[in-house]
Amino acid sequence: MNLPYDDKTCGWYAALPPPRPVQSLRGEQIADYVVIGAGFAGLAAARRLAHHEPEARILLVDAQRVAEGASGRNSGFVIDLPHKFALEHPDPAHKQRLLGLNRAAIAQLQSLIDTHGIDCQWSHAGKYQGAVGERGLAYLAHFEKLLSDLGEPFHSVEGPALQSVLGTSHYRRAVFTPGCYLMQPAALVRGMGDSLPKNVELLENSPITRLERDGRGGHVLHGSAGRIRTRRLLLGTSIFTQEFGYLKNRLLPVMTFASWTAPLDDAQCQRYTGRFDWGLTPADHAGTTVRMTQDRRLIIRNTYKHVPKYGRSIDDAMRARIHADHRKAFLARYPDLADVPFTHTWGGVYAISRNFTNFFGQLEDGVFASACDNGVGAAWGTISGTLLADLAVGADSAQLRDIQAVTGMPSRNPPEPFLGLGVRSRIKLAAWNSRSEL
């Protein structure tokens, strides 16, 4: 079984204070519900289960510490709009359902942050989608048409106005959309883990290595130092869902990488001519994401890798090459900040599907899953985990019907070695075609 094996160089996590003492799985345990995976989906599912069943014993189990995995490694965008591929969907009702679900997730996160005082740089900053060359500009014009068709507000920014935001003249034009929120993902995820309801027990550093039926309608979950018996199991395990035997040959493990700088000192801030606290995604999806954080760090994110063994597919030499590529992208945008070093370069693995379809629902009797976020984990994980708990306890709602209407079964993948060859070729082709946007 391939377990999570993330690098230890995630800047978001390194910026946090030391975590509280760990509680891990030990001995024989019995629970009414078990949630595996303490990312956005698992945290939301456990919290919702506790709301529905305040007397139930709920165990939330993760192979790592909370925020060490994918949910703490993203670029810190919580986006309300449908993702680029979903925005192409021909059915307007489909896109409106996605909008409603994403905005419900944002409202839910806002409420949790306010209620529990989670310090995670949460900001209603909106989002810029930027273009560098002609290819990017063409994508940007198409994006504007899709937004107009959807009836969503946006405005174009270019020239000195754009430079005054980004602190660079590298971009020709950008489209600003107001509904996105920015945050420090590891801080948000840890904050949610630290504020779980009383009847949710969080077990970290507790990989589940095997599931088996107990012959009485339930499951036994095996760990290295203990076992759990339960009749209801919810999987918020994203790409690792396939390691438990579900959705086999339907999920593609992809890792994307980011680097960030040391915080700009006062002299460097004088040379930096932009604002603080903004985020830009590329109009061409294979381009570069850039962020300026509230604590004065610049982030560069690009480079995609097919990682069939997850973190074990990446070695130090590859990480060094990615670091060098990020440095080139940074200097192309901020040559006047060449003295600002990168302090961390990290990757995060997520699941995509060939038909860009998210899975949500019941896998078998007593087993439920939300898997394959297709790269938009913060909002989707939050709302899908919440509604998965509703499904597990039989609580109907309009939102549950909406998520069932926009999800389905990910396409089956071709066998290896053809799958790996095809994915790697497509990633290389996308990088080549998008080289002006990197």
Side-chain angles (χ1 to χ4, degrees), residues 21-57:
V22 67
Q23 180 181 353
S24 299
L25 173 60
R26 295 284 185 273
E28 296 283 332
Q29 304 290 334
I30 298 175
D32 298 293
Y33 296 89
V34 175
V35 182
I36 303 180
F40 283 111
L43 286 161
R47 189 178 297 275
R48 186 71 153 205
L49 286 172
H51 168 77
H52 286 304
E53 306 260 9
E55 302 304 317
R57 187 186 188 204

PDB file of all heavy atoms in Angstrom, residues 21-57:
ATOM      1  N   PRO A  21       0.528  18.267  21.311  1.00  0.00           N
ATOM      2  CA  PRO A  21       0.964  16.863  21.373  1.00  0.00           C
ATOM      3  C   PRO A  21       0.048  15.950  20.570  1.00  0.00           C
ATOM      4  O   PRO A  21      -1.173  16.134  20.540  1.00  0.00           O
ATOM      5  CB  PRO A  21       0.906  16.540  22.868  1.00  0.00           C
ATOM      6  CG  PRO A  21       1.086  17.863  23.541  1.00  0.00           C
ATOM      7  CD  PRO A  21       0.401  18.863  22.652  1.00  0.00           C
ATOM      8  N   VAL A  22       0.642  14.983  19.925  1.00  0.00           N
ATOM      9  CA  VAL A  22      -0.107  14.119  19.022  1.00  0.00           C
ATOM     10  C   VAL A  22      -0.814  13.013  19.790  1.00  0.00           C
ATOM     11  O   VAL A  22      -0.314  12.503  20.793  1.00  0.00           O
ATOM     12  CB  VAL A  22       0.832  13.512  17.955  1.00  0.00           C
ATOM     13  CG1 VAL A  22       1.830  12.549  18.583  1.00  0.00           C
ATOM     14  CG2 VAL A  22       0.046  12.836  16.841  1.00  0.00           C
ATOM     15  N   GLN A  23      -2.015  12.671  19.352  1.00  0.00           N
ATOM     16  CA  GLN A  23      -2.732  11.492  19.821  1.00  0.00           C
ATOM     17  C   GLN A  23      -2.876  10.559  18.629  1.00  0.00           C
ATOM     18  O   GLN A  23      -3.389  10.957  17.580  1.00  0.00           O
ATOM     19  CB  GLN A  23      -4.111  11.860  20.380  1.00  0.00           C
ATOM     20  CG  GLN A  23      -4.913  10.665  20.881  1.00  0.00           C
ATOM     21  CD  GLN A  23      -6.277  11.050  21.413  1.00  0.00           C
ATOM     22  OE1 GLN A  23      -6.599  12.230  21.525  1.00  0.00           O
ATOM     23  NE2 GLN A  23      -7.106  10.059  21.721  1.00  0.00           N
ATOM     24  N   SER A  24      -2.434   9.324  18.783  1.00  0.00           N
ATOM     25  CA  SER A  24      -2.429   8.362  17.688  1.00  0.00           C
ATOM     26  C   SER A  24      -3.281   7.149  18.029  1.00  0.00           C
ATOM     27  O   SER A  24      -3.663   6.934  19.178  1.00  0.00           O
ATOM     28  CB  SER A  24      -0.996   7.928  17.359  1.00  0.00           C
ATOM     29  OG  SER A  24      -0.209   9.029  16.942  1.00  0.00           O
ATOM     30  N   LEU A  25      -3.563   6.362  17.017  1.00  0.00           N
ATOM     31  CA  LEU A  25      -4.361   5.145  17.185  1.00  0.00           C
ATOM     32  C   LEU A  25      -3.570   4.107  17.975  1.00  0.00           C
ATOM     33  O   LEU A  25      -2.448   3.745  17.593  1.00  0.00           O
ATOM     34  CB  LEU A  25      -4.739   4.592  15.808  1.00  0.00           C
ATOM     35  CG  LEU A  25      -5.440   3.231  15.785  1.00  0.00           C
ATOM     36  CD1 LEU A  25      -6.752   3.275  16.567  1.00  0.00           C
ATOM     37  CD2 LEU A  25      -5.684   2.783  14.342  1.00  0.00           C
ATOM     38  N   ARG A  26      -4.172   3.647  19.056  1.00  0.00           N
ATOM     39  CA  ARG A  26      -3.579   2.612  19.882  1.00  0.00           C
ATOM     40  C   ARG A  26      -4.664   1.633  20.311  1.00  0.00           C
ATOM     41  O   ARG A  26      -5.769   2.042  20.701  1.00  0.00           O
ATOM     42  CB  ARG A  26      -2.930   3.196  21.153  1.00  0.00           C
ATOM     43  CG  ARG A  26      -1.745   4.113  20.894  1.00  0.00           C
ATOM     44  CD  ARG A  26      -0.482   3.327  20.526  1.00  0.00           C
ATOM     45  NE  ARG A  26       0.676   4.191  20.397  1.00  0.00           N
ATOM     46  CZ  ARG A  26       1.023   4.819  19.289  1.00  0.00           C
ATOM     47  NH1 ARG A  26       0.279   4.666  18.191  1.00  0.00           N
ATOM     48  NH2 ARG A  26       2.100   5.589  19.251  1.00  0.00           N
ATOM     49  N   GLY A  27      -4.371   0.356  20.256  1.00  0.00           N
ATOM     50  CA  GLY A  27      -5.255  -0.663  20.788  1.00  0.00           C
ATOM     51  C   GLY A  27      -6.538  -0.835  19.992  1.00  0.00           C
ATOM     52  O   GLY A  27      -6.654  -0.440  18.832  1.00  0.00           O
ATOM     53  N   GLU A  28      -7.531  -1.454  20.624  1.00  0.00           N
ATOM     54  CA  GLU A  28      -8.822  -1.750  20.008  1.00  0.00           C
ATOM     55  C   GLU A  28      -9.792  -0.595  20.258  1.00  0.00           C
ATOM     56  O   GLU A  28      -9.982  -0.188  21.417  1.00  0.00           O
ATOM     57  CB  GLU A  28      -9.400  -3.040  20.587  1.00  0.00           C
ATOM     58  CG  GLU A  28      -8.567  -4.273  20.295  1.00  0.00           C
ATOM     59  CD  GLU A  28      -8.753  -4.763  18.875  1.00  0.00           C
ATOM     60  OE1 GLU A  28      -9.836  -4.539  18.288  1.00  0.00           O
ATOM     61  OE2 GLU A  28      -7.806  -5.371  18.333  1.00  0.00           O
ATOM     62  N   GLN A  29     -10.398  -0.083  19.192  1.00  0.00           N
ATOM     63  CA  GLN A  29     -11.323   1.037  19.299  1.00  0.00           C
ATOM     64  C   GLN A  29     -12.627   0.678  18.590  1.00  0.00           C
ATOM     65  O   GLN A  29     -12.623  -0.037  17.582  1.00  0.00           O
ATOM     66  CB  GLN A  29     -10.728   2.296  18.657  1.00  0.00           C
ATOM     67  CG  GLN A  29      -9.380   2.709  19.203  1.00  0.00           C
ATOM     68  CD  GLN A  29      -9.450   3.242  20.611  1.00  0.00           C
ATOM     69  OE1 GLN A  29     -10.480   3.764  21.044  1.00  0.00           O
ATOM     70  NE2 GLN A  29      -8.364   3.090  21.366  1.00  0.00           N
ATOM     71  N   ILE A  30     -13.715   1.189  19.110  1.00  0.00           N
ATOM     72  CA  ILE A  30     -15.025   1.041  18.473  1.00  0.00           C
ATOM     73  C   ILE A  30     -15.604   2.442  18.314  1.00  0.00           C
ATOM     74  O   ILE A  30     -15.591   3.242  19.260  1.00  0.00           O
ATOM     75  CB  ILE A  30     -15.968   0.160  19.301  1.00  0.00           C
ATOM     76  CG1 ILE A  30     -15.401  -1.257  19.439  1.00  0.00           C
ATOM     77  CG2 ILE A  30     -17.356   0.104  18.666  1.00  0.00           C
ATOM     78  CD1 ILE A  30     -16.220  -2.151  20.347  1.00  0.00           C
ATOM     79  N   ALA A  31     -16.086   2.754  17.130  1.00  0.00           N
ATOM     80  CA  ALA A  31     -16.640   4.080  16.860  1.00  0.00           C
ATOM     81  C   ALA A  31     -17.926   3.954  16.062  1.00  0.00           C
ATOM     82  O   ALA A  31     -18.102   3.012  15.274  1.00  0.00           O
ATOM     83  CB  ALA A  31     -15.631   4.938  16.096  1.00  0.00           C
ATOM     84  N   ASP A  32     -18.806   4.914  16.256  1.00  0.00           N
ATOM     85  CA  ASP A  32     -20.032   4.948  15.462  1.00  0.00           C
ATOM     86  C   ASP A  32     -19.735   5.358  14.019  1.00  0.00           C
ATOM     87  O   ASP A  32     -20.343   4.832  13.086  1.00  0.00           O
ATOM     88  CB  ASP A  32     -21.024   5.933  16.087  1.00  0.00           C
ATOM     89  CG  ASP A  32     -21.429   5.517  17.482  1.00  0.00           C
ATOM     90  OD1 ASP A  32     -22.096   4.478  17.616  1.00  0.00           O
ATOM     91  OD2 ASP A  32     -21.055   6.232  18.433  1.00  0.00           O
ATOM     92  N   TYR A  33     -18.816   6.304  13.878  1.00  0.00           N
ATOM     93  CA  TYR A  33     -18.383   6.758  12.557  1.00  0.00           C
ATOM     94  C   TYR A  33     -16.865   6.913  12.569  1.00  0.00           C
ATOM     95  O   TYR A  33     -16.297   7.366  13.567  1.00  0.00           O
ATOM     96  CB  TYR A  33     -18.987   8.121  12.199  1.00  0.00           C
ATOM     97  CG  TYR A  33     -20.490   8.144  12.074  1.00  0.00           C
ATOM     98  CD1 TYR A  33     -21.287   8.407  13.179  1.00  0.00           C
ATOM     99  CD2 TYR A  33     -21.105   7.909  10.840  1.00  0.00           C
ATOM    100  CE1 TYR A  33     -22.671   8.438  13.075  1.00  0.00           C
ATOM    101  CE2 TYR A  33     -22.489   7.945  10.721  1.00  0.00           C
ATOM    102  CZ  TYR A  33     -23.261   8.203  11.843  1.00  0.00           C
ATOM    103  OH  TYR A  33     -24.638   8.231  11.733  1.00  0.00           O
ATOM    104  N   VAL A  34     -16.241   6.583  11.449  1.00  0.00           N
ATOM    105  CA  VAL A  34     -14.823   6.871  11.253  1.00  0.00           C
ATOM    106  C   VAL A  34     -14.685   7.665   9.968  1.00  0.00           C
ATOM    107  O   VAL A  34     -15.263   7.303   8.928  1.00  0.00           O
ATOM    108  CB  VAL A  34     -13.969   5.591  11.181  1.00  0.00           C
ATOM    109  CG1 VAL A  34     -12.516   5.942  10.841  1.00  0.00           C
ATOM    110  CG2 VAL A  34     -14.031   4.830  12.496  1.00  0.00           C
ATOM    111  N   VAL A  35     -13.943   8.741  10.040  1.00  0.00           N
ATOM    112  CA  VAL A  35     -13.582   9.530   8.865  1.00  0.00           C
ATOM    113  C   VAL A  35     -12.083   9.388   8.667  1.00  0.00           C
ATOM    114  O   VAL A  35     -11.306   9.661   9.595  1.00  0.00           O
ATOM    115  CB  VAL A  35     -13.953  11.020   9.037  1.00  0.00           C
ATOM    116  CG1 VAL A  35     -13.596  11.801   7.776  1.00  0.00           C
ATOM    117  CG2 VAL A  35     -15.436  11.174   9.376  1.00  0.00           C
ATOM    118  N   ILE A  36     -11.671   8.936   7.493  1.00  0.00           N
ATOM    119  CA  ILE A  36     -10.244   8.839   7.184  1.00  0.00           C
ATOM    120  C   ILE A  36      -9.852  10.032   6.316  1.00  0.00           C
ATOM    121  O   ILE A  36     -10.480  10.300   5.287  1.00  0.00           O
ATOM    122  CB  ILE A  36      -9.902   7.526   6.449  1.00  0.00           C
ATOM    123  CG1 ILE A  36     -10.350   6.315   7.267  1.00  0.00           C
ATOM    124  CG2 ILE A  36      -8.406   7.440   6.181  1.00  0.00           C
ATOM    125  CD1 ILE A  36     -10.044   4.980   6.598  1.00  0.00           C
ATOM    126  N   GLY A  37      -8.808  10.731   6.742  1.00  0.00           N
ATOM    127  CA  GLY A  37      -8.323  11.903   6.017  1.00  0.00           C
ATOM    128  C   GLY A  37      -8.765  13.182   6.689  1.00  0.00           C
ATOM    129  O   GLY A  37      -9.960  13.518   6.667  1.00  0.00           O
ATOM    130  N   ALA A  38      -7.831  13.918   7.295  1.00  0.00           N
ATOM    131  CA  ALA A  38      -8.158  15.149   8.014  1.00  0.00           C
ATOM    132  C   ALA A  38      -7.759  16.374   7.205  1.00  0.00           C
ATOM    133  O   ALA A  38      -7.113  17.291   7.710  1.00  0.00           O
ATOM    134  CB  ALA A  38      -7.487  15.160   9.383  1.00  0.00           C
ATOM    135  N   GLY A  39      -8.138  16.372   5.912  1.00  0.00           N
ATOM    136  CA  GLY A  39      -8.021  17.564   5.092  1.00  0.00           C
ATOM    137  C   GLY A  39      -9.338  18.317   5.098  1.00  0.00           C
ATOM    138  O   GLY A  39     -10.182  18.140   5.989  1.00  0.00           O
ATOM    139  N   PHE A  40      -9.549  19.151   4.098  1.00  0.00           N
ATOM    140  CA  PHE A  40     -10.775  19.948   4.062  1.00  0.00           C
ATOM    141  C   PHE A  40     -12.009  19.062   4.092  1.00  0.00           C
ATOM    142  O   PHE A  40     -12.967  19.330   4.833  1.00  0.00           O
ATOM    143  CB  PHE A  40     -10.791  20.843   2.817  1.00  0.00           C
ATOM    144  CG  PHE A  40      -9.910  22.053   2.918  1.00  0.00           C
ATOM    145  CD1 PHE A  40      -8.762  22.165   2.155  1.00  0.00           C
ATOM    146  CD2 PHE A  40     -10.223  23.085   3.786  1.00  0.00           C
ATOM    147  CE1 PHE A  40      -7.941  23.276   2.258  1.00  0.00           C
ATOM    148  CE2 PHE A  40      -9.413  24.208   3.901  1.00  0.00           C
ATOM    149  CZ  PHE A  40      -8.261  24.299   3.130  1.00  0.00           C
ATOM    150  N   ALA A  41     -12.030  17.992   3.303  1.00  0.00           N
ATOM    151  CA  ALA A  41     -13.214  17.134   3.240  1.00  0.00           C
ATOM    152  C   ALA A  41     -13.435  16.389   4.539  1.00  0.00           C
ATOM    153  O   ALA A  41     -14.551  16.359   5.081  1.00  0.00           O
ATOM    154  CB  ALA A  41     -13.083  16.155   2.073  1.00  0.00           C
ATOM    155  N   GLY A  42     -12.391  15.775   5.072  1.00  0.00           N
ATOM    156  CA  GLY A  42     -12.541  14.994   6.284  1.00  0.00           C
ATOM    157  C   GLY A  42     -12.909  15.839   7.495  1.00  0.00           C
ATOM    158  O   GLY A  42     -13.744  15.446   8.321  1.00  0.00           O
ATOM    159  N   LEU A  43     -12.288  16.997   7.625  1.00  0.00           N
ATOM    160  CA  LEU A  43     -12.609  17.890   8.734  1.00  0.00           C
ATOM    161  C   LEU A  43     -14.061  18.336   8.667  1.00  0.00           C
ATOM    162  O   LEU A  43     -14.762  18.378   9.689  1.00  0.00           O
ATOM    163  CB  LEU A  43     -11.681  19.103   8.709  1.00  0.00           C
ATOM    164  CG  LEU A  43     -10.240  18.853   9.157  1.00  0.00           C
ATOM    165  CD1 LEU A  43      -9.326  19.973   8.665  1.00  0.00           C
ATOM    166  CD2 LEU A  43     -10.157  18.722  10.677  1.00  0.00           C
ATOM    167  N   ALA A  44     -14.520  18.674   7.458  1.00  0.00           N
ATOM    168  CA  ALA A  44     -15.906  19.115   7.307  1.00  0.00           C
ATOM    169  C   ALA A  44     -16.876  17.973   7.590  1.00  0.00           C
ATOM    170  O   ALA A  44     -17.928  18.169   8.220  1.00  0.00           O
ATOM    171  CB  ALA A  44     -16.121  19.663   5.903  1.00  0.00           C
ATOM    172  N   ALA A  45     -16.535  16.770   7.132  1.00  0.00           N
ATOM    173  CA  ALA A  45     -17.405  15.618   7.353  1.00  0.00           C
ATOM    174  C   ALA A  45     -17.534  15.305   8.840  1.00  0.00           C
ATOM    175  O   ALA A  45     -18.637  15.070   9.358  1.00  0.00           O
ATOM    176  CB  ALA A  45     -16.874  14.410   6.589  1.00  0.00           C
ATOM    177  N   ALA A  46     -16.409  15.295   9.549  1.00  0.00           N
ATOM    178  CA  ALA A  46     -16.443  14.987  10.971  1.00  0.00           C
ATOM    179  C   ALA A  46     -17.255  16.024  11.742  1.00  0.00           C
ATOM    180  O   ALA A  46     -18.044  15.694  12.644  1.00  0.00           O
ATOM    181  CB  ALA A  46     -15.018  14.907  11.514  1.00  0.00           C
ATOM    182  N   ARG A  47     -17.063  17.285  11.402  1.00  0.00           N
ATOM    183  CA  ARG A  47     -17.797  18.349  12.094  1.00  0.00           C
ATOM    184  C   ARG A  47     -19.301  18.215  11.851  1.00  0.00           C
ATOM    185  O   ARG A  47     -20.112  18.369  12.770  1.00  0.00           O
ATOM    186  CB  ARG A  47     -17.299  19.713  11.603  1.00  0.00           C
ATOM    187  CG  ARG A  47     -17.824  20.884  12.406  1.00  0.00           C
ATOM    188  CD  ARG A  47     -17.239  22.187  11.882  1.00  0.00           C
ATOM    189  NE  ARG A  47     -15.805  22.250  12.032  1.00  0.00           N
ATOM    190  CZ  ARG A  47     -15.175  22.654  13.134  1.00  0.00           C
ATOM    191  NH1 ARG A  47     -15.879  23.001  14.196  1.00  0.00           N
ATOM    192  NH2 ARG A  47     -13.868  22.687  13.182  1.00  0.00           N
ATOM    193  N   ARG A  48     -19.680  17.903  10.622  1.00  0.00           N
ATOM    194  CA  ARG A  48     -21.107  17.779  10.307  1.00  0.00           C
ATOM    195  C   ARG A  48     -21.712  16.541  10.969  1.00  0.00           C
ATOM    196  O   ARG A  48     -22.851  16.578  11.444  1.00  0.00           O
ATOM    197  CB  ARG A  48     -21.277  17.715   8.793  1.00  0.00           C
ATOM    198  CG  ARG A  48     -22.717  17.729   8.325  1.00  0.00           C
ATOM    199  CD  ARG A  48     -23.369  19.095   8.519  1.00  0.00           C
ATOM    200  NE  ARG A  48     -24.433  19.289   7.546  1.00  0.00           N
ATOM    201  CZ  ARG A  48     -24.858  20.474   7.137  1.00  0.00           C
ATOM    202  NH1 ARG A  48     -24.304  21.567   7.628  1.00  0.00           N
ATOM    203  NH2 ARG A  48     -25.805  20.575   6.248  1.00  0.00           N
ATOM    204  N   LEU A  49     -20.970  15.445  10.987  1.00  0.00           N
ATOM    205  CA  LEU A  49     -21.456  14.257  11.683  1.00  0.00           C
ATOM    206  C   LEU A  49     -21.725  14.572  13.154  1.00  0.00           C
ATOM    207  O   LEU A  49     -22.735  14.135  13.723  1.00  0.00           O
ATOM    208  CB  LEU A  49     -20.435  13.130  11.575  1.00  0.00           C
ATOM    209  CG  LEU A  49     -20.312  12.423  10.226  1.00  0.00           C
ATOM    210  CD1 LEU A  49     -19.126  11.468  10.249  1.00  0.00           C
ATOM    211  CD2 LEU A  49     -21.585  11.667   9.868  1.00  0.00           C
ATOM    212  N   ALA A  50     -20.820  15.319  13.764  1.00  0.00           N
ATOM    213  CA  ALA A  50     -21.001  15.685  15.168  1.00  0.00           C
ATOM    214  C   ALA A  50     -22.239  16.546  15.371  1.00  0.00           C
ATOM    215  O   ALA A  50     -22.925  16.446  16.398  1.00  0.00           O
ATOM    216  CB  ALA A  50     -19.757  16.412  15.675  1.00  0.00           C
ATOM    217  N   HIS A  51     -22.539  17.377  14.392  1.00  0.00           N
ATOM    218  CA  HIS A  51     -23.757  18.199  14.456  1.00  0.00           C
ATOM    219  C   HIS A  51     -24.997  17.312  14.413  1.00  0.00           C
ATOM    220  O   HIS A  51     -25.946  17.512  15.186  1.00  0.00           O
ATOM    221  CB  HIS A  51     -23.759  19.194  13.293  1.00  0.00           C
ATOM    222  CG  HIS A  51     -25.070  19.897  13.093  1.00  0.00           C
ATOM    223  ND1 HIS A  51     -25.487  20.935  13.894  1.00  0.00           N
ATOM    224  CD2 HIS A  51     -26.066  19.689  12.182  1.00  0.00           C
ATOM    225  CE1 HIS A  51     -26.680  21.350  13.493  1.00  0.00           C
ATOM    226  NE2 HIS A  51     -27.049  20.616  12.457  1.00  0.00           N
ATOM    227  N   HIS A  52     -24.992  16.340  13.500  1.00  0.00           N
ATOM    228  CA  HIS A  52     -26.159  15.459  13.363  1.00  0.00           C
ATOM    229  C   HIS A  52     -26.275  14.476  14.527  1.00  0.00           C
ATOM    230  O   HIS A  52     -27.386  14.140  14.948  1.00  0.00           O
ATOM    231  CB  HIS A  52     -26.054  14.659  12.063  1.00  0.00           C
ATOM    232  CG  HIS A  52     -26.324  15.450  10.825  1.00  0.00           C
ATOM    233  ND1 HIS A  52     -27.488  16.154  10.624  1.00  0.00           N
ATOM    234  CD2 HIS A  52     -25.576  15.632   9.693  1.00  0.00           C
ATOM    235  CE1 HIS A  52     -27.452  16.747   9.434  1.00  0.00           C
ATOM    236  NE2 HIS A  52     -26.308  16.448   8.858  1.00  0.00           N
ATOM    237  N   GLU A  53     -25.153  13.991  15.021  1.00  0.00           N
ATOM    238  CA  GLU A  53     -25.137  12.909  16.010  1.00  0.00           C
ATOM    239  C   GLU A  53     -24.260  13.317  17.206  1.00  0.00           C
ATOM    240  O   GLU A  53     -23.150  12.819  17.382  1.00  0.00           O
ATOM    241  CB  GLU A  53     -24.575  11.638  15.367  1.00  0.00           C
ATOM    242  CG  GLU A  53     -25.287  11.215  14.099  1.00  0.00           C
ATOM    243  CD  GLU A  53     -26.275  10.090  14.367  1.00  0.00           C
ATOM    244  OE1 GLU A  53     -26.507   9.776  15.551  1.00  0.00           O
ATOM    245  OE2 GLU A  53     -26.795   9.536  13.401  1.00  0.00           O
ATOM    246  N   PRO A  54     -24.744  14.227  18.043  1.00  0.00           N
ATOM    247  CA  PRO A  54     -23.895  14.758  19.125  1.00  0.00           C
ATOM    248  C   PRO A  54     -23.518  13.719  20.186  1.00  0.00           C
ATOM    249  O   PRO A  54     -22.569  13.942  20.946  1.00  0.00           O
ATOM    250  CB  PRO A  54     -24.750  15.879  19.726  1.00  0.00           C
ATOM    251  CG  PRO A  54     -26.151  15.571  19.311  1.00  0.00           C
ATOM    252  CD  PRO A  54     -26.054  14.907  17.981  1.00  0.00           C
ATOM    253  N   GLU A  55     -24.222  12.607  20.246  1.00  0.00           N
ATOM    254  CA  GLU A  55     -23.896  11.561  21.220  1.00  0.00           C
ATOM    255  C   GLU A  55     -23.042  10.456  20.611  1.00  0.00           C
ATOM    256  O   GLU A  55     -22.633   9.533  21.329  1.00  0.00           O
ATOM    257  CB  GLU A  55     -25.191  10.951  21.790  1.00  0.00           C
ATOM    258  CG  GLU A  55     -26.116  11.959  22.451  1.00  0.00           C
ATOM    259  CD  GLU A  55     -25.420  12.733  23.559  1.00  0.00           C
ATOM    260  OE1 GLU A  55     -24.684  12.100  24.349  1.00  0.00           O
ATOM    261  OE2 GLU A  55     -25.616  13.970  23.623  1.00  0.00           O
ATOM    262  N   ALA A  56     -22.771  10.514  19.328  1.00  0.00           N
ATOM    263  CA  ALA A  56     -22.006   9.465  18.667  1.00  0.00           C
ATOM    264  C   ALA A  56     -20.512   9.637  18.928  1.00  0.00           C
ATOM    265  O   ALA A  56     -20.025  10.750  19.153  1.00  0.00           O
ATOM    266  CB  ALA A  56     -22.263   9.493  17.162  1.00  0.00           C
ATOM    267  N   ARG A  57     -19.788   8.522  18.891  1.00  0.00           N
ATOM    268  CA  ARG A  57     -18.326   8.580  18.948  1.00  0.00           C
ATOM    269  C   ARG A  57     -17.807   8.613  17.516  1.00  0.00           C
ATOM    270  O   ARG A  57     -18.035   7.682  16.726  1.00  0.00           O
ATOM    271  CB  ARG A  57     -17.722   7.384  19.684  1.00  0.00           C
ATOM    272  CG  ARG A  57     -16.219   7.554  19.878  1.00  0.00           C
ATOM    273  CD  ARG A  57     -15.538   6.346  20.465  1.00  0.00           C
ATOM    274  NE  ARG A  57     -14.153   6.679  20.787  1.00  0.00           N
ATOM    275  CZ  ARG A  57     -13.170   5.790  20.887  1.00  0.00           C
ATOM    276  NH1 ARG A  57     -13.420   4.491  20.718  1.00  0.00           N
ATOM    277  NH2 ARG A  57     -11.947   6.181  21.166  1.00  0.00           N
TER     278      ARG A  57
END
